[in-house]
Amino acid sequence: MKKIIFALLAIFLICSYLFYRHHFTVPSKQPFRCDAQLISHIERHNKNIDINLFSSIIFTIRGEGLLEMTGTYTQDNQQYLVNRKVFFTHKHSELNGMQKTTISREVVTPSDNVPEESWQKYILPDLPGVEFYTELKEMNKNAVFFQGLSNPFFVCVLSEYHD
């Protein structure tokens, strides 16, 4: 009788562990969506720049992603509207925990009026088509820190993720 109870307890614990791993694994190893508020003040090249963007980010396990941004970009008291989608790919790299990310294309809506040179220089981490290193670090069960090789990009709050 003790052997049967022990076997049932062992099966229950194994099933519980597998259920937990299946439903609560690290978000970077499965598709997920998260949101971030990007607020930044930059003083560079004799320019004052303020960025206030809301972003929704989708990561897939197929190595694709989408970054949707809306908000404002202000440069020297001239305000521009941001409303665009940035599509990217990500794949594993040789560096432990790092990924290689490439912006594949952008879709700019007609209401977006940010000068392209400013967008590429002050907002994008790198030019479209250029590979750069990124890392996702789980901060807690619902937040992910997304950073480049030497600088942070944003903290992203998980809104949903799937198995």
Side-chain angles (χ1 to χ4, degrees):
M1 184 68 168
K2 288 182 183 180
K3 289 182 182 181
I4 293 172
I5 292 174
F6 180 74
L8 289 174
L9 183 61
I11 290 171
F12 175 76
L13 290 174
I14 290 170
C15 290
S16 297
Y17 173 75
L18 292 175
F19 177 81
Y20 174 81
R21 293 290 294 162
H22 180 70
H23 288 286
F24 302 104
T25 56
V26 177
S28 62
K29 295 183 179 166
Q30 61 185 352
F32 69 95
R33 176 180 166 247
C34 61
D35 300 313
Q37 185 72 36
L38 309 169
I39 299 173
S40 182
H41 176 77
I42 302 169
E43 293 181 19
R44 191 186 308 168
H45 303 108
N46 295 322
K47 296 181 191 281
N48 288 315
I49 298 164
D50 289 300
I51 300 168
N52 186 357
L53 301 174
F54 174 78
S55 298
S56 281
I57 304 101
I58 297 172
F59 289 89
T60 70
I61 56 174
R62 291 189 320 264
E64 299 167 345
L66 167 67
L67 173 63
E68 237 179 288
M69 293 188 203
T70 57
T72 59
Y73 170 88
T74 307
Q75 181 175 319
D76 296 327
N77 297 319
Q78 174 68 42
Q79 190 175 67
Y80 302 95
L81 294 178
V82 176
N83 192 357
R84 56 178 78 196
K85 296 177 183 177
V86 177
F87 295 86
F88 60 91
T89 60
H90 54 97
K91 59 185 177 183
H92 293 289
S93 75
E94 316 77 47
L95 297 175
N96 190 24
M98 301 294 287
Q99 295 193 341
K100 291 181 182 178
T101 303
T102 306
I103 297 170
S104 52
R105 67 185 175 100
E106 292 180 89
V107 175
V108 182
T109 65
S111 63
D112 186 306
N113 61 352
V114 177
E116 198 59 34
E117 180 183 333
S118 296
W119 176 258
Q120 291 180 355
K121 193 174 195 177
Y122 298 110
I123 298 178
L124 286 185
D126 218 321
L127 296 173
V130 176
E131 197 171 73
F132 56 97
Y133 287 96
T134 56
E135 181 177 16
L136 290 174
K137 287 186 177 182
E138 188 174 5
M139 296 179 67
N140 58 34
K141 69 179 186 176
N142 69 340
V144 177
F145 180 55
F146 187 67
Q147 69 177 12
L149 192 58
S150 61
N151 59 323
F153 295 139
F154 50 81
V155 173
C156 198
V157 178
L158 297 174
S159 44
E160 62 182 62
Y161 61 95
H162 303 286
D163 303 326

